[in-house]
Amino acid sequence: MLTINTAAITAKEFESFLPAAQRAHDNLQNGTGRGSDFTGWVKLPESVDKDELARIKAAAAKIRSDSEVLLVIGIGGSYLGARAVIEALRGTMYNLKDKPMVLFAGNNLSASYYKDIMALLEGRDFSINVISKSGTTTEPAVAFRIFRRLLEQRYGKEGAKSRIYATTDKARGALKGVADAMGYETFVIPDDVGGRYSVLTPVGLLPIAAAGIDIDALLLGAADMMKICRAPGEGNPAWRYAIARNAMLGRGKTTEILVTYDPDFVFLAEWYKQLFGESEGKEQKGIYPSAVSFTADLHSMGQFIQEGARSLFETAVLVDTPAADVRVGMEENDADGLNFLAGKSLFDIERQAFRGTYLAHGDGGTPNLVVKITDKNARDLGGLLYFFEYSCGVSGYILGVNPFDQPGVEAYKKNMFALLDKPGFEKEGAQLTARLPEGI
Ligand code: PA5
């Protein structure tokens, strides 16, 4: 179950955004807004292809039986959702405790990171899930070329073939071409679902299932939330969140900080940052999405949040049921002065840290919204993912942008291609080089 607390905004602010929320909702439900070609995710939890789901489960079972490592190659929406769910439900220490390890590549160009992965693959059976909707993104394409060679050296071309899973467009792109030519098993990213909304497609589901997570429960939770979000009105939690965010922006709060209290949720926050950043940050508009992990960041960013520039609001994401019961013991001499906590669980202490922070930051001029789920399990997490997606669609439409495109991502790509002498970009390459300051 999910609840949202928007006490930090006034009833007047809330009501002033209701007509815009209704329009946004209608556009999402009827596919009539900007970018509506990419709103397939709205009904995705009830339209998942059963055969594809069965193939995902079979591939995940094979990976679990023949691989000590699954290497997931993708960037942006083609990896953040899977990593968010795996870390949230299996823990950030999952790879130290369980098999198969799930490692991520293709999301950076760091040679030392690649070397570390190569070292971890040494002597370990592995498979690759390469994920790219366009099939042409440079970072994952480069990673796939590097690690596919390693796989082929280890198992031969034929052996490697049965260890490569390609998740891509049904027809377009270089990755689809390679997969067809080589006979890799492929999974389809629906045409009408953009990268950052694709966690509940094979993009997220295959790695998540390979990590041993119940994807039926994840989809069920998303389907529950889809039904809740389908109902228009003040009780719709996604409307409440979308309205509250825009009300905060109206007050000059241009930065949202997603606050989590569990290191396992750090990548959930990374996923949220991409979802909202890429959806809303355009046409010189948007709320800058950022994130902190408390209580750790109360000792680094807490000072700024309490007393720095007053352009911030927070959205805390909490789980209402402790995942484990760890308690502080009583000590006879109480040398550390902590006996006042004896018998209390870490959850009790964390909750008071949250409540104290809620009040302190509010008093300091950083108001808080609060989203709670009942349990840290697949069903509630599925609901949370859908809640954020639907909220993002509503919020982006209220803001007046197309929440489903990302034209700004192209600028760096064009420059990089030109500077790397990609055929067709030669002229621009020379011009760009001339513009760069000495030493850059
Ligand atoms: O949300 C998006 O569309 C992007 O972040 C993409 O997921 C990202 O750029 C990767 O693209 P692709 O899957 O085509 O390699």
Side-chain angles (χ1 to χ4, degrees), residues 386-427:
Y386 189 90
F387 160 78
F388 274 126
E389 288 179 357
Y390 202 80
S391 302
C392 188
V394 175
S395 183
Y397 278 151
I398 292 178
L399 190 67
V401 298
N402 173 356
F404 308 115
D405 66 0
Q406 54 285 326
V409 182
E410 293 310 309
Y412 101 90
K413 286 190 197 170
K414 273 195 227 139
N415 288 355
M416 180 177 76
F417 290 149
L419 293 166
L420 285 169
D421 296 326
K422 186 174 177 172
F425 289 84
E426 295 83 354
K427 209 168 111 222

Side-chain angles (χ1 to χ4, degrees), residues 74-80 131-141 167-168 175 189 193-198 203 274-275 278-279 404-406 409-410 412-413:
I75 195 166
S78 288
Y79 98 102
L80 283 167
I131 307 170
S132 177
K133 185 169 188 204
S134 62
T136 55
T137 309
T138 308
E139 292 89 335
T167 305
T168 189
L175 178 57
I189 309 172
V193 180
R196 57 193 175 275
Y197 294 84
S198 69
V203 169
Q274 190 214 355
L275 179 66
E278 234 171 48
S279 298
F404 308 115
D405 66 0
Q406 54 285 326
V409 182
E410 293 310 309
Y412 101 90
K413 286 190 197 170

Side-chain angles (χ1 to χ4, degrees), residues 86-398:
I86 292 169
E87 291 200 3
L89 297 178
R90 304 288 271 141
T92 49
M93 298 192 208
Y94 159 72
N95 282 341
L96 300 175
K97 302 183 300 190
D98 226 331
K99 292 266 165 0
M101 289 165 73
V102 182
L103 302 177
F104 294 89
N107 57 70
N108 64 66
L109 293 164
S110 158
S112 55
Y113 183 91
Y114 276 49
K115 274 286 183 200
D116 284 347
I117 291 185
M118 285 172 191
L120 286 166
L121 294 178
E122 198 64 47
R124 289 186 167 94
D125 280 315
F126 72 104
S127 296
I128 293 176
N129 180 199
V130 53
I131 307 170
S132 177
K133 185 169 188 204
S134 62
T136 55
T137 309
T138 308
E139 292 89 335
V142 166
F144 186 45
R145 182 180 276 213
I146 291 169
F147 289 109
R148 187 177 58 164
R149 175 168 294 182
L150 210 64
L151 198 73
E152 288 176 353
Q153 281 163 354
R154 180 88 59 87
Y155 301 97
K157 271 212 165 22
E158 214 34 48
K161 193 171 111 176
S162 66
R163 289 177 172 272
I164 294 176
Y165 304 86
T167 305
T168 189
D169 187 83
K170 68 175 185 309
R172 281 168 303 191
L175 178 57
K176 175 68 178 160
V178 173
D180 284 351
M182 302 298 290
Y184 303 146
E185 174 150 26
T186 55
F187 295 92
V188 174
I189 309 172
D191 280 345
D192 55 1
V193 180
R196 57 193 175 275
Y197 294 84
S198 69
V199 56
L200 300 171
T201 73
V203 169
L205 295 178
L206 177 55
I208 291 168
I213 292 165
D214 181 350
I215 54 173
D216 289 326
L218 193 75
L219 288 167
L220 195 61
D224 293 341
M225 186 53 65
M226 178 189 68
K227 286 175 201 137
I228 291 169
C229 289
R230 194 174 274 164
E234 298 177 23
N236 185 313
W239 282 37
R240 296 196 73 81
Y241 180 40
I243 286 176
R245 298 179 81 249
N246 280 281
M248 291 293 176
L249 184 62
R251 291 185 195 174
K253 305 287 182 193
T254 51
T255 297
E256 177 178 28
I257 309 172
L258 197 83
V259 177
T260 55
Y261 276 81
D262 184 337
D264 294 346
F265 281 176
V266 163
F267 260 84
L268 180 76
E270 290 301 310
W271 173 82
Y272 141 88
K273 275 160 56 181
Q274 190 214 355
L275 179 66
F276 281 88
E278 234 171 48
S279 298
E280 292 193 325
K282 51 197 71 158
E283 299 173 30
Q284 280 78 53
K285 295 181 191 171
I287 297 168
Y288 182 77
S290 64
V292 290
S293 178
F294 286 170
T295 57
D297 284 335
L298 283 169
H299 298 262
S300 68
M301 299 306 290
Q303 170 62 36
F304 194 111
I305 297 170
Q306 187 70 44
E307 294 183 345
R310 301 297 68 195
S311 54
L312 315 172
F313 71 98
E314 290 175 306
T315 298
V317 176
L318 301 177
V319 180
D320 246 353
T321 315
D325 187 17
V326 179
R327 285 177 189 275
V328 179
M330 176 74 91
E331 284 196 2
E332 219 166 83
N333 64 7
D334 196 22
D336 55 11
L338 281 184
N339 273 355
F340 77 101
L341 294 177
K344 290 196 191 301
S345 68
L346 287 181
F347 181 79
D348 296 331
I349 301 169
E350 176 232 86
R351 209 31 61 107
Q352 299 323 317
F354 158 68
R355 295 174 80 210
T357 305
Y358 178 95
L359 291 173
H361 288 182
D363 291 345
T366 298
N368 278 242
L369 310 172
V370 184
V371 176
K372 286 187 185 179
I373 56 172
T374 310
D375 286 297
K376 190 172 164 178
N377 63 21
R379 189 161 178 173
D380 278 11
L381 199 66
L384 184 65
L385 295 173
Y386 189 90
F387 160 78
F388 274 126
E389 288 179 357
Y390 202 80
S391 302
C392 188
V394 175
S395 183
Y397 278 151
I398 292 178

